[in-house]
Amino acid sequence: MTQFTSRAVRIDQNGGPEELKIVDVPVGEPGPGEIRIRHKAIGLNFIDVYQRSGLYPFPMPLQLGMEASGVVDAVGDGVTHLQVGDRAAYASNPPGSYSELRVMPAKCVCKLPDAISFETGAAMMLKGLTAQYLLKKARPVEGLEPGDHVLFHAAAGGVGLIACQWAKALGLQLIGTAGTDAKCQLVLANGAAHAINYNTQDFAARVKDITGGKGVKVVYDSVGKDTWDKSLECLRPFGLMASFGNASGAVPPFAPGMLGAKGSLYVTRQTLFTHIATREATQAMADDLFAVVLSGQVKIHIDQRYPLAEVQQAHRSLEARQTTGCTILTL
Ligand code: NDP
């Protein structure tokens, strides 16, 4: 059996960016249902920070990374949708994309259309599929119609800028929050109807103003601890709190009774990996994402690029809220 070696980023224990170590790892042949892929570019995501810090626990050592693009290098038994030489991209569970070469389950890997570059493919899969399910599947019971207001936190980030553009394409009035005035300008330039600097303004009061006191049908909240309470104030009766991240820390436990008092609200906490549990579901969502990118309605902004060897700095920038749009690691 051929043994290859790959540079990879690994942690041996949870901690800060200094725990990210470049190591050489052996890479074998793909087993049944697996492929080996030679990466061209790697996507950086906030979930990588949670896994590194320990907020999302994993056994150690852990090779990080949930998103990449590359060329299929070998195909295991039973894999029919990919062939050696195919251009491909993925959002994966388990992690391991911070590497030159890896073996992984084929079911989460999709062929990348020729018109989409490897860098764009690496940047957009996890974030774009997340925007897809948030806007199209995590729906309020009353439905979402063109013209409806929704609130999207951290709208200048990776998932955020995709969501701004996609929401506009769907006719939604997206109110985006961001941490600086410059980020708010970016949010507006990407299709948001309104932008709020939540570090200098009371976003709940602004949402009430914008919606004529009614509130929004959905709040998409990936910030977590810092925005949770005020986000609930932004919802109209029967509105949906779609919590999907914890950039500021985990949401503290709450008593369900308060949802009734605030207007019979709904709360959901979803993860992309439930949505892409099967090959068919992954492909259907990816086709939708590819179509909206190829149509030009959603542009993937790669605002930061770091060589793999500078992964520690990439994590520092993401955590320090210095990034906008997507970040990739280059090989
Ligand atoms: P982003 O590029 O959006 O970066 C996170 C942003 O969160 C920052 O830029 C910052 O924007 C904002 N933020 C607010 N408070 C803090 C804080 N205390 N520390 C750091 N950042 C903060 O990351 P991603 O696009 O990779 O992911 C966006 C969010 O979506 C993450 O929370 C991620 O975990 C979540 N996610 C969830 C998925 C799911 O299925 N559940 C799948 C994919 C992503 P600003 O300065 O404007 O406040």
Side-chain angles (χ1 to χ4, degrees):
M1 190 210 275
T2 326
Q3 274 285 352
F4 296 88
T5 300
S6 168
R7 264 190 321 150
V9 176
R10 204 174 71 186
I11 56 169
D12 294 314
Q13 58 182 15
N14 294 123
E18 68 284 355
E19 295 299 335
L20 299 162
K21 305 275 161 49
I22 308 270
V23 293
D24 285 329
V25 295
V27 180
E29 295 297 321
E34 293 182 332
I35 61 155
R36 189 171 61 223
I37 183 164
R38 189 167 289 281
H39 292 142
K40 292 285 192 181
I42 298 159
L44 190 79
N45 289 283
F46 218 90
I47 193 171
D48 309 342
V49 172
Y50 306 144
Q51 292 176 358
R52 192 209 68 220
S53 70
L55 183 63
Y56 293 176
F58 270 83
M60 294 292 138
L62 174 64
Q63 185 173 313
L64 285 171
M66 312 286 279
E67 183 180 47
S69 66
V71 175
V72 177
D73 188 66
V75 173
D77 287 346
V79 177
T80 53
H81 72 289
L82 293 167
Q83 294 182 343
V84 172
D86 280 346
R87 304 171 77 253
Y90 66 82
S92 83
N93 205 8
S97 72
Y98 285 10
S99 56
E100 294 164 325
L101 187 70
R102 76 179 287 200
V103 168
M104 62 181 299
K107 70 175 186 183
C108 51
V109 183
C110 297
K111 273 195 204 178
L112 188 64
D114 288 343
I116 298 179
S117 71
F118 283 119
E119 289 202 343
T120 298
M124 76 178 200
M125 291 298 282
L126 196 147
K127 301 169 199 75
L129 295 176
T130 300
Q132 201 270 2
Y133 88 72
L134 288 172
L135 293 172
K136 295 199 169 180
K137 297 184 173 174
R139 288 275 167 144
V141 281
E142 294 186 319
L144 266 185
E145 307 293 338
D148 281 343
H149 284 104
V150 298
L151 176 64
F152 205 106
H153 287 307
V159 177
L161 282 188
I162 297 173
C164 287
Q165 298 170 77
W166 209 332
K168 183 174 186 197
L170 295 170
L172 298 172
Q173 303 273 312
L174 183 144
I175 305 168
T177 60
T180 66
D181 290 345
K183 286 186 180 185
C184 285
Q185 289 306 318
L186 195 59
V187 166
L188 291 171
N190 279 276
H194 304 272
I196 305 170
N197 180 339
Y198 52 10
N199 284 333
T200 59
Q201 298 180 68
D202 178 341
F203 71 82
R206 286 275 287 122
V207 166
K208 283 277 154 62
D209 284 348
I210 291 166
T211 59
K214 284 187 181 157
V216 295
K217 275 191 176 174
V218 191
V219 176
Y220 301 99
D221 190 344
S222 66
V223 173
K225 183 169 67 66
D226 287 356
T227 44
W228 173 260
D229 287 332
K230 277 208 165 155
S231 292
L232 293 171
E233 291 173 29
C234 296
L235 286 163
R236 57 193 242 177
F238 304 108
L240 174 65
M241 174 65 150
S243 167
F244 69 105
N246 353 249
S248 67
V251 175
F254 64 91
M258 64 89 174
L259 297 173
K262 288 184 182 298
S264 302
L265 304 178
Y266 291 79
V267 173
T268 185
R269 175 58 167 93
Q270 302 196 8
T271 163
L272 173 64
F273 301 103
T274 318
H275 289 277
I276 60 170
T278 67
R279 148 109 196 95
E280 293 71 24
T282 307
Q283 190 65 55
M285 288 173 69
D287 287 345
D288 196 23
L289 173 62
F290 294 150
V292 81
V293 170
L294 290 169
S295 74
Q297 289 174 298
V298 170
K299 294 189 172 54
I300 305 299
H301 296 276
I302 302 175
D303 292 342
Q304 299 77 215
R305 289 176 172 78
Y306 294 90
L308 184 67
E310 292 177 21
V311 63
Q312 291 189 357
Q313 186 51 44
H315 271 232
R316 283 192 189 98
S317 300
L318 186 61
E319 284 180 275
R321 308 167 75 162
Q322 288 165 350
T323 63
T324 55
C326 302
T327 303
I328 60 165
L329 301 172
T330 57
L331 292 163

